[in-house]
Amino acid sequence: MLKQIQVVLLTTGLVLLVGCSSGVTNSEEEVTSAKTGSQNDGYRCDKVRVTGSRLPSKRCTTRAQREAEEQLAEAFMKSGTHSGSSSN
């Protein structure tokens, strides 16, 4: 009985390790192909850390999307309506 439990645990661990390692390789290939495939429009993929998670997430954007986000962030900061600001 103990031997069967050990086999099941080892098999489960092996499946998890193989599944995790294959996902990393695929995303790295996708990022590489995205960078080389369409450099004219500024398409770029970055690994970003999501709050509350230790695993990085892949985020792909165009140059226009990044510039729009930057302008929105600047307008937000200039408006002074974000939480945490004090009027003292």
Side-chain angles (χ1 to χ4, degrees), residues 6-76:
Q6 290 175 341
V7 170
V8 169
L9 288 176
L10 286 174
T11 305
T12 304
L14 181 63
V15 168
L16 288 175
L17 286 175
V18 170
C20 291
S21 67
S22 66
V24 172
T25 304
N26 289 340
S27 65
E28 288 173 357
E29 290 173 2
E30 290 172 4
V31 170
T32 303
S33 65
K35 286 182 181 177
T36 59
S38 56
Q39 292 185 4
N40 294 338
D41 61 354
Y43 190 76
R44 183 176 75 194
C45 294
D46 297 314
K47 287 185 180 180
V48 294
R49 294 212 178 246
V50 179
T51 303
S53 175
R54 299 187 127 221
L55 301 175
S57 176
K58 184 177 75 168
R59 182 170 183 260
C60 299
T61 57
T62 63
R63 181 180 295 128
Q65 287 174 324
R66 291 188 302 274
E67 289 172 357
E69 288 175 357
E70 185 177 343
Q71 289 175 356
L72 284 172
E74 287 177 8
F76 179 74

